[in-house]
C-alpha cells in the first residue's frame, strides 16, 4: 500500500519471530479489529533473516506479508542492523565499539559504524531485502536501523577515519593547530600521526578535539543510515524511508540525518507522573525538522521497564498520548508494542495485549481513536501545526558544553528546556530549529546560551532582525568560534553590533548566593550565572539590586534594522523569562490553566485546536475561538470543561 499523505495512520510493532506461526492470523485479525492499518516488523530480526553468512531466510517475511495483506494491513520493514548477530561479532569482535580505555565495550547498538567488514555485511543484507521487497505493494515503507546512537568508538579504524575527517575539515595541520589552540600546554602537533582520538590514555585532551570527535561520531551514524537509504532507493520509487529517533537524544544531529529520509520518526515513552513538558519539547524538536509531518514510530501504551518504578497507566491516557502526537504534528502513530514481551531485558514490557495474548485496556482506547479518526482523519491529515516561536537548538552547542562544562549552574539543555516550558505555558507553540534554519516566518525567535556562532549563523540572525524579527539571546552568546575556542574580542564578540552592549563581567557564585533583578514593576530572584551588561546602543531594561554591580544592566534591548534584540544576562527564573517573552511578543496572551496543553493545526480548509488535559482532575479553559468539538459533536462557545486525562478538539469556522 502506497502511503496516502492525506490520511492519518495507526499501527503497531509486531515480532512474528517471537510467536508461533498459528498465532499470526489471530494477532493480525485483532489488529484489524482494533482499527490499525500498519504494522512494523523485522527491525531486530537480523539472525532470523540471515542465520549464517551465506544463508538468507525471507520466507517467513513473505508469509507474514500475506497474512497482513489479507486483513488490509500494510507493513513497514525495518532494517535489522541494530542487532548484530553472534555469527558476526563472535568471529569478528572488532565490529563491537572500542571505548576510551581501548577495551571492546559492547551493549545495545554499540558497534563501530566505521568497521569496513560490518559495513559490507550490512550493505549485503539491506541490498537483498531491498531487491526482494522494494516493489512489493504489501510494503508501504522502510525504517532504517533502530534508535541510532552517536557511538564514540576509539578503534584503529575510527582513528584513521577521524584523521581523514580532520584533514578534509581543516585542510592542513597548521590550520588544525590554530583552530584547536594546541599551543595551550605545548600540545602542538608536528605530524598527522600525532593527532589522536580523545581517548583516556592521553596526557591532555583538548575541548576542541572532544567537540570534533562528537561531530565525527554523529556523522558516522548518519553515514551508516545514508548508506542503507541509498541502497533502498535503488530498488523502490514508491515506499517511504524513515527512522525512529529517540526524540530529544543529543548523540546524533537529526538535522543532518533527516536529509536522507522522507520524514523523521521518533519513539515516545512518557512517564505517567511527568509534567509533560519534556515530551512536548521532543515533539517540537522533531516537527522542527519538517516540512513533512513526522510519525510516532513507537508510542508507549502501557508499562515500561526502563526505570526503577513502573506506574500503572491511567485510563484514557493512551488515547490522550495519541492525540498529543497528532496535535503536535504527527500523521502516523505506531504503538509499541502489540504484545508484551517474554524475553530478556524487556520482560513485562508494555503491550496492547498481555503476554498471554489477551487485550489490555489500551486495546479499547486504540479502537476508540481509530473510530474517531475515521471521521476527522482525512481533513486533519492535511493540516499543519501553527507555530508562533522559533526556539534555536544546536547539537554543536550541546557537544561543546559536554566537552567542558565549567560551571554546573549553567547548563545548555536545562536553559533550552526552561525557555521551551515558558513558551508553552504562555500558550504559544515553538518549533525547535537549527541556528541556520530560515527564521522569517516566526514573529519571535529565542536562542538560549548560543555560545558557538559561526559566520552563517551570524548572518542568519542579523538578517532576521534587520527584516523586522524579534530575537531573544541569553548568557554566553557568541563567546566562542566554531572550534570551541573563546574569541579575542569583548563578549558577545561578533554579535556586539547586533545586541548593542558588552559584557562587563560575570558572576557565577555557588548555590547559596543569589541576587535580585528589577524588570518593569517586579523583582525577581536570580542565581547561578549573572552577567553585568554595559550598553553601547541598547537600552537597559532590567538592573541588579544587590552586590557591587547593583544598578547595572541585567537585561538589555536593542533596536537593529526593523527589529529588536533582547539579551537576558541571567538564568534560572522562569517567571522572569515569561515576563520577557510577553513583552517581546507584544500582544495580549490569555491565561492558561496549569496542565492543559493547547495546540492548533490548520490548512486552507480547516482549523483544529486541541485542548489536552494532562492531569488527573477535571479542569476548564477558555477557548481561542468558538466551533464544534469534533470528538463529541457538541457546540463550543467561550469555555470548555475537560475531564481528567481527556481532551477536546474544536474545529473552528473558517468563514
Amino acid at each position: 500500500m502506497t502511503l496516502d499523505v492525506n490520511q492519518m495512520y495507526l499501527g503497531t510493532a509486531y515480532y512474528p519471530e517471537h510467536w508461533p506461526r498459528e498465532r499470526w492470523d489471530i494477532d493480525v485479525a485483532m489488529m484489524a479489529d482494533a482499527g490499525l492499518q500498519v504494522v512494523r516488523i523485522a527491525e531486530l530480526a537480523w539472525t532470523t533473516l540471515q542465520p549464517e553468512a551465506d544463508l538468507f531466510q525471507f520466507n517467513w517475511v513473505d508469509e507474514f506479508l500475506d497474512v497482513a495483506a489479507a486483513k488490509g494491513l500494510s507493513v513497514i520493514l525495518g532494517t535489522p542492523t541494530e542487532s548484530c548477530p553472534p555469527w558476526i561479532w563472535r568471529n569478528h569482535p572488532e565490529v563491537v565499539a572500542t571505548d576510551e580505555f581501548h577495551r571492546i565495550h559492547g551493549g545495545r547498538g554499540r558497534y563501530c559504524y566505521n568497521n569496513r567488514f560490518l559495513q559490507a555485511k550490512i550493505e549485503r543484507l539491506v541490498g537483498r531485502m531491498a531487491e526482494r521487497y522494494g516493489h512489493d505493494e504489501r510494503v508501504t515503507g522502510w525504517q532504517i536501523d533502530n534508535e541510532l546512537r552517536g557511538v564514540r568508538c576509539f578503534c584503529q579504524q575510527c582513528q584513521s577515519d577521524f584523521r581523514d575527517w580532520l584533514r578534509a575539515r581543516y585542510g592542513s595541520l597548521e590550520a588544525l593547530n590554530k583552530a584547536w589552540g594546541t599551543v595551550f600546554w605545548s600540545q602542538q602537533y608536528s605530524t598527522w600521526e600525532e593527532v589522536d582520538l580523545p581517548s583516556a590514555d592521553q596526557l591532555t585532551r583538548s575541548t576542541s578535539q572532544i567537540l570534533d570527535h562528537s561531530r565525527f561520531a554523529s556523522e558516522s551514524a548518519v553515514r551508516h543510515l545514508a548508506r542503507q537509504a541509498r541502497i533502498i532507493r535503488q530498488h523502490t520509487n514508491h515506499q517511504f524511508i524513515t527512522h525512529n529517533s529517540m526524540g530529544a537524544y543529543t548523540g546524533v544531529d537529526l538535522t543532518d540525518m533527516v536529509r536522507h529520509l522522507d520524514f523523521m520518526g521518533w519513539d515516545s515513552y512518557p512517564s505517567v507522573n511527568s509534567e509533560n513538558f519534556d515530551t512536548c519539547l521532543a515533539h517540537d524538536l522533531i516537527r522542527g525538522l519538517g516540512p513533512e509531518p513526522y510519525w510516532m514510530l513507537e508510542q508507549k501504551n502501557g508499562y515500561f521497564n526502563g526505570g526503577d518504578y513502573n506506574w500503572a497507566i491511567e485510563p484514557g491516557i493512551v488515547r490522550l498520548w495519541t492525540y498529543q502526537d497528532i496535535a503536535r504534528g504527527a500523521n502516523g502513530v505506531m504503538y509499541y508494542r502489540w504484545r508484551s514481551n517474554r524475553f530478556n531485558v524487556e520482560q513485562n514490557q508494555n503491550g496492547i495485549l498481555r503476554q498471554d495474548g489477551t487485550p489490555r485496556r489500551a486495546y479499547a482506547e486504540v479502537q476508540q481513536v481509530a473510530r474517531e479518526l475515521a471521521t476527522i482523519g482525512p481533513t486533519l491529515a492535511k493540516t499543519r501545526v501553527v507555530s508562533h516561536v522559533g526556539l534555536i537548538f544546536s547539537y554543536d552547542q550541546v557537544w561543546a558544553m559536554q566537552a567542558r562544562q565549567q560551571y554546573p549552574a549553567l547548563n545548555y539543555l536545562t536553559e533550552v528546556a526552561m525557555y521551551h516550558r515558558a513558551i508553552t505555558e504562555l500558550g504559544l507553540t515553538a518549533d525547535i530549529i537549527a541556528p541556520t534554519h530560515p527564521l522569517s516566518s516566526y514573529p519571535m525567535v529565542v536562542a538560549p546560551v548560543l555560545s558557538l556562532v559561526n559566520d552563517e549563523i551570524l548572518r542568519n540572525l542579523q538578517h532576521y532582525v534587520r527584516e523586522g524579527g524579534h530575537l531573544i539571546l541569553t548568557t554566553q552568546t557568541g563567546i566562542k568560534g566554531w572550534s570551541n575556542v573563546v574569541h579575542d574580542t569583548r563578549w558577545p564578540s561578533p554579535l556586539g553590533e547586533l545586541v548593542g552592549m558588552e559584557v562587563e563581567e560575570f558572576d557565577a557564585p555557588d548555590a547559596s548566593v543569589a541576587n535580585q533583578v528589577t524588570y518593569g514593576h517586579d523583582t525577581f530572584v536570580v542565581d547561578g550565572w549573572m552577567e553585568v551588561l554595559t550598553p553601547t546602543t541598547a537600552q537597559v531594561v532590567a538592573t541588579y539590586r544587590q552586590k557591587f554591580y547593583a544598578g547595572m544592566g541585567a537585561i538589555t534591548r536593542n533596536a537593529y534594522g526593523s527589529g529588536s534584540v533582547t539579551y537576558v544576562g541571567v538564568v534560572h527564573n522562569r517567571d522572569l523569562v515569561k515576563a520577557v517573552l510577553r513583552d517581546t511578543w507584544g500582544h495580549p496572551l490569555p491565561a492558561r490553566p496549569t496542565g492543559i496543553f493547547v495546540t492548533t493545526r490548520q490548512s486552507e480548509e480547516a482549523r483544529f485546536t486541541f485542548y489536552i488535559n494532562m492531569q488527573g482532575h477535571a479542569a476548564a479553559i477558555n477557548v481561542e475561538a468558538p466551533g464544534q468539538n469534533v470528538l463529541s459533536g457538541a457546540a463550543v462557545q467561550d469555555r470548555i470543561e475537560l475531564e481528567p486525562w481527556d481532551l477536546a478538539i474544536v474545529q473552528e469556522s473558517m468563514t
Side-chain angles (χ1 to χ4, degrees):
M1 181 183 74
T2 303
L3 178 68
D4 182 358
V5 296
N6 295 319
Q7 182 61 272
M8 288 281 175
Y9 291 92
L10 297 178
T12 190
Y14 189 62
Y15 298 87
E17 68 274 23
H18 291 185
W19 308 105
R21 168 61 186 85
E22 57 269 21
R23 178 70 197 195
W24 296 0
D25 298 275
I26 298 171
D27 281 328
V28 171
M30 293 179 70
M31 293 177 196
D33 185 58
L36 303 182
Q37 306 125 294
V38 188
V39 57
R40 184 193 71 182
I41 66 169
E43 92 279 2
L44 292 168
W46 190 338
T47 308
T48 311
L49 291 165
Q50 189 183 9
E52 300 173 11
D54 295 315
L55 177 61
F56 294 89
Q57 294 183 340
F58 295 136
N59 289 341
W60 67 274
V61 176
D62 297 335
E63 191 169 357
F64 183 81
L65 291 177
D66 284 338
V67 172
K71 291 296 183 182
L73 274 73
S74 60
V75 173
I76 297 174
L77 274 182
T79 64
T81 51
E82 183 194 30
S83 53
C84 184
W87 62 263
I88 290 182
W89 59 262
R90 287 296 299 272
N91 295 314
H92 294 272
E94 70 274 11
V95 306
V96 182
T98 300
D99 70 11
E100 62 180 335
F101 298 99
H102 301 294
R103 304 170 302 193
I104 290 179
H105 188 172
R108 183 178 179 184
R110 277 193 54 82
Y111 53 80
C112 176
Y113 297 127
N114 296 307
N115 181 272
R116 304 301 194 261
F117 177 82
L118 185 60
Q119 286 177 4
K121 294 301 179 185
I122 288 173
E123 290 174 7
R124 186 185 184 204
L125 172 63
V126 174
R128 289 290 189 94
M129 293 179 70
E131 288 173 5
R132 192 176 185 100
Y133 301 111
H135 293 284
D136 195 318
E137 294 299 324
R138 299 168 297 179
V139 176
T140 191
W142 297 78
Q143 175 190 295
I144 295 179
D145 208 282
N146 182 68
E147 296 181 343
L148 274 173
R149 298 154 180 83
V151 177
R152 291 166 173 80
C153 179
F154 294 81
C155 72
Q156 288 301 308
Q157 185 64 63
C158 285
Q159 175 69 89
S160 175
D161 288 357
F162 184 54
R163 288 172 181 157
D164 290 342
W165 184 87
L166 292 171
R167 284 190 187 97
R169 188 177 186 87
Y170 293 102
S172 69
L173 199 59
E174 179 183 12
L176 174 68
N177 278 319
K178 182 178 180 181
W180 283 8
T182 55
V183 67
F184 181 72
W185 285 356
S186 298
Q187 295 302 300
Q188 298 100 316
Y189 299 112
S190 301
T191 67
W192 280 105
E193 286 67 33
E194 293 176 349
V195 183
D196 290 325
L197 294 164
S199 52
D201 58 355
Q202 296 184 48
L203 287 173
T204 299
R205 289 188 279 190
S206 162
T207 56
S208 300
Q209 174 194 25
I210 295 170
L211 169 58
D212 272 345
H213 185 225
S214 297
R215 289 167 169 157
F216 169 76
S218 175
E219 290 186 23
S220 297
V222 171
R223 286 195 298 270
H224 163 76
L225 176 141
R227 284 190 293 269
Q228 297 188 46
R230 187 165 54 248
I231 292 169
I232 293 169
R233 292 195 195 282
Q234 292 171 357
H235 297 281
T236 188
N237 57 13
H238 71 282
Q239 297 164 337
F240 66 76
I241 299 177
T242 187
H243 172 70
N244 61 328
S245 71
M246 291 185 283
Y249 169 73
T250 59
V252 180
D253 186 341
L254 298 185
T255 61
D256 187 14
M257 179 186 292
V258 76
R259 298 186 183 102
H260 305 282
L261 304 172
D262 293 303
F263 55 84
M264 182 59 78
W266 75 284
D267 298 346
S268 178
Y269 292 90
S271 173
V272 179
N273 64 327
S274 164
E275 291 186 280
N276 194 51
F277 292 99
D278 53 348
T279 306
C280 290
L281 185 150
H283 276 296
D284 296 346
L285 173 67
I286 301 301
R287 187 186 62 254
L289 300 170
E292 296 302 319
Y294 59 90
W295 275 40
M296 182 59 68
L297 287 165
E298 294 184 12
Q299 174 57 67
K300 176 181 175 181
N301 64 76
Y303 296 103
F304 182 69
N305 63 347
D308 296 331
Y309 52 86
N310 215 333
W311 291 74
I313 301 299
E314 296 281 346
I317 202 171
V318 173
R319 173 174 174 260
L320 204 65
W321 283 335
T322 305
Y323 278 116
Q324 179 172 255
D325 299 341
I326 295 169
R328 302 196 90 87
N331 271 15
V333 179
M334 305 283 290
Y335 300 101
Y336 189 87
R337 47 190 278 168
W338 175 248
R339 184 171 172 180
S340 181
N341 181 48
R342 298 174 53 234
F343 309 122
N344 210 310
V345 296
E346 289 191 358
Q347 295 175 31
N348 303 317
Q349 184 65 284
N350 66 154
I352 297 173
L353 305 188
R354 300 180 184 87
Q355 70 278 0
D356 67 353
T358 59
R360 284 199 171 103
R361 279 186 287 108
Y363 189 89
E365 293 185 35
V366 171
Q367 281 184 315
Q368 181 181 355
V369 173
R371 288 194 302 269
E372 292 165 343
L373 288 179
T375 301
I376 63 173
T379 305
L380 191 55
K382 299 175 186 177
T383 63
R384 298 294 181 266
V385 173
V386 177
S387 301
H388 312 93
V389 181
L391 178 59
I392 289 178
F393 174 78
S394 168
Y395 290 92
D396 294 277
Q397 182 59 56
V398 175
W399 300 331
M401 189 163 280
Q402 288 174 344
R404 178 73 167 98
Q405 185 173 344
Q406 187 171 2
Y407 305 103
L410 182 59
N411 180 282
Y412 178 70
L413 293 174
T414 300
E415 290 301 296
V416 170
M418 183 185 71
Y419 273 86
H420 178 267
R421 176 166 180 164
I423 291 166
T424 306
E425 287 181 337
L426 289 174
L428 300 172
T429 301
D431 286 340
I432 300 179
I433 53 176
T436 54
H437 190 284
L439 305 175
S440 60
S441 64
Y442 303 105
M444 182 166 66
V445 170
V446 182
V449 198
L450 195 64
S451 298
L452 273 62
V453 174
N454 59 21
D455 290 342
E456 184 181 7
I457 294 171
L458 177 60
R459 288 193 298 269
N460 196 34
L461 298 178
Q462 288 173 330
H463 176 76
Y464 169 71
V465 180
R466 188 183 299 117
E467 297 303 311
H470 298 286
L471 175 66
I472 298 175
L473 300 173
T474 80
T475 54
Q476 289 202 357
T477 294
I479 69 173
K480 296 181 181 181
W482 207 239
S483 293
N484 209 17
V485 171
V486 175
H487 288 296
D488 59 1
T489 53
R490 288 281 294 273
W491 294 359
S493 299
L495 287 90
E497 180 185 359
L498 180 64
V499 300
M501 65 83 190
E502 294 177 341
V503 177
E504 189 70 28
E505 53 187 309
F506 67 87
D507 192 4
D510 62 51
S512 66
V513 178
N515 205 322
Q516 292 181 325
V517 166
T518 298
Y519 178 74
H521 299 292
D522 298 311
T523 299
F524 302 87
V525 176
V526 295
D527 59 21
W529 182 276
M530 292 152 278
E531 294 178 354
V532 181
L533 312 180
T534 301
T536 52
T537 60
Q539 174 188 4
V540 174
V541 295
T543 56
Y544 294 103
R545 298 192 62 178
Q546 297 172 337
K547 300 191 74 170
F548 66 90
Y549 47 89
M552 299 186 71
I555 302 174
T556 60
R557 187 167 292 127
N558 189 48
Y560 184 86
S562 300
S564 69
V565 181
T566 302
Y567 187 97
V568 182
V570 294
V571 298
H572 293 174
N573 193 305
R574 195 164 73 249
D575 289 334
L576 173 58
V577 166
K578 288 164 75 171
V580 172
L581 288 168
R582 283 193 195 94
D583 290 345
T584 307
W585 182 250
H587 305 289
L589 291 167
R592 297 293 188 200
T594 301
I596 296 182
F597 293 80
V598 181
T599 317
T600 297
R601 289 184 58 142
Q602 180 175 319
S603 67
E604 292 183 0
E605 294 79 27
R607 180 180 174 91
F608 298 89
T609 300
F610 293 72
Y611 301 89
I612 299 177
N613 184 15
M614 280 286 183
Q615 51 197 345
H617 58 81
I621 185 171
N622 294 328
V623 298
E624 294 191 351
Q628 181 188 43
N629 182 355
V630 295
L631 298 178
S632 68
V636 178
Q637 290 301 319
D638 301 320
R639 193 167 175 81
I640 195 163
E641 300 284 338
L642 297 172
E643 294 298 317
W645 309 112
D646 201 3
L647 80 155
I649 306 175
V650 177
Q651 183 173 4
E652 303 169 16
S653 173
M654 296 294 287
T655 59

